[in-house]
Amino acid sequence: MSDLMDFDDDDEATAVVSLSDLRRKKEVAHKAKHHLLVNIQGTELGRVRELTASELVIGRGTDASIWIPDDGVSRKHARLTRSDESYLCEDLNSANGTFVQGRKVERCQLKDGDQIQLGPKAIFRYSITDDDQKALLEQLYSTSVTDALTGARNREFMDTLLMTEISFAARHRTPLSFLLFDLDHFKSVNDTYGHPAGDHVLQVIAATIRNELRAEDNLCRYGGEEFAIVLRGIEKHGAHASGERLRKRIEELLINYEGTILRVTTSIGIATLDELSETSPQALVSLADQRLYEAKKSGRNRVVSGVSR
């Protein structure tokens, strides 16, 4: 008798499971289209970057394809080059070395799940994954950098975002504007109607602003009743016009809280990158904050920028 006739039920079940596993692996392999770098230690913890270019340079320099704001990372630290079905990682004579799976490397073909360490603190996981897993990772990161009350990005995200956007603006020679605004006399809303009313006002204001922004703009909660907006590619005249549009939109809002109509106004300070002698996030925020104070001091419900001064 042939070997086929010696199969018992367990053998048949094992064969079916094996075929099922093989089919599932083939389906996953077919769906696995995204090559990702996920921050698992250091700044921007959890951030997901999709690798699409055939060659990318990772480093602290403003001309790096993937910019890492970490002093332990060299200006041009490592290069990723697409090779076959994954990426080749190559150290670019960095000061603190490039490590893959804990081993210092000069060149290394990456595998799904490999950990890449640049210098002492910046660690990433290289993943080859499908649409569903990519979406899940992005959702987890988005939740971690979002203010629970307003849905705006949080202060930590804003600090990192400014560094990234300043680097992008320097690399591409494009303008960058930063709007810092504060709701006028907001304490009186809390004192008169209670903190739940104040929370409702903040939620409505945040939703209203988001509806006025482009997809590439970022609304962040700076703290309390203060918000900030980072406008990529917008110079000072455009930023001032955007600030005026938002100021007017907020002034016209009729906010219904449990049958009571609440109205608020906002003061806005605007700074642009080309106005600074020192191109740093701190300098950009400081200039916007000075102008916000000027807007408050000169009567509130107004915009102060390099255009209006």
Side-chain angles (χ1 to χ4, degrees), residues 152 158 178-184 202 205-206 208-210 213 218-230 242-243 246-247 250 265-270 288-289 291-293 295-296 302-304:
M158 190 202 80
F178 179 73
L179 283 66
L180 185 60
F181 56 104
D182 182 270
L183 300 183
D184 299 324
L202 291 175
I205 294 294
T208 300
I209 294 172
R210 276 197 301 271
L213 299 180
N218 282 277
L219 172 67
C220 306
R221 189 176 182 188
Y222 189 73
E225 66 272 19
E226 289 185 295
F227 292 87
I229 302 173
V230 182
S242 295
L246 289 169
R247 183 202 62 76
I250 291 170
T265 60
T266 187
S267 299
I268 303 175
I270 300 176
D289 191 47
R291 289 175 175 169
L292 172 59
Y293 176 77
K296 291 278 192 183
R302 63 192 62 207
V303 177
V304 175

Side-chain angles (χ1 to χ4, degrees), residues 140-163:
L140 289 172
Y141 175 64
S142 178
T143 300
S144 73
V145 296
T146 299
D147 175 62
L149 176 65
T150 64
R153 296 304 193 187
N154 60 27
R155 176 70 177 272
E156 181 182 359
F157 178 89
M158 190 202 80
D159 292 341
T160 303
L161 174 67
L162 280 175
M163 291 189 288

Side-chain angles (χ1 to χ4, degrees), residues 1-18:
M1 303 292 289
S2 70
D3 290 341
L4 290 175
M5 297 187 66
D6 293 333
F7 264 53
D8 58 21
D9 290 342
D10 289 340
D11 292 331
E12 183 177 356
T14 300
V16 170
V17 170
S18 297

Side-chain angles (χ1 to χ4, degrees), residues 101-154:
Q101 294 296 90
R103 182 173 60 89
K104 190 173 184 179
V105 300
E106 299 299 326
R107 290 166 61 90
C108 178
Q109 189 75 38
L110 296 176
K111 302 186 298 297
D112 181 28
D114 276 352
Q115 289 191 14
I116 306 167
Q117 180 173 342
L118 308 179
K121 294 185 296 184
I123 303 179
F124 307 86
R125 184 177 65 251
Y126 171 70
S127 295
I128 305 174
T129 188
D130 59 25
D131 293 338
D132 293 340
Q133 183 67 14
K134 175 175 177 284
L136 175 60
L137 290 170
E138 290 175 336
Q139 179 59 42
L140 289 172
Y141 175 64
S142 178
T143 300
S144 73
V145 296
T146 299
D147 175 62
L149 176 65
T150 64
R153 296 304 193 187
N154 60 27

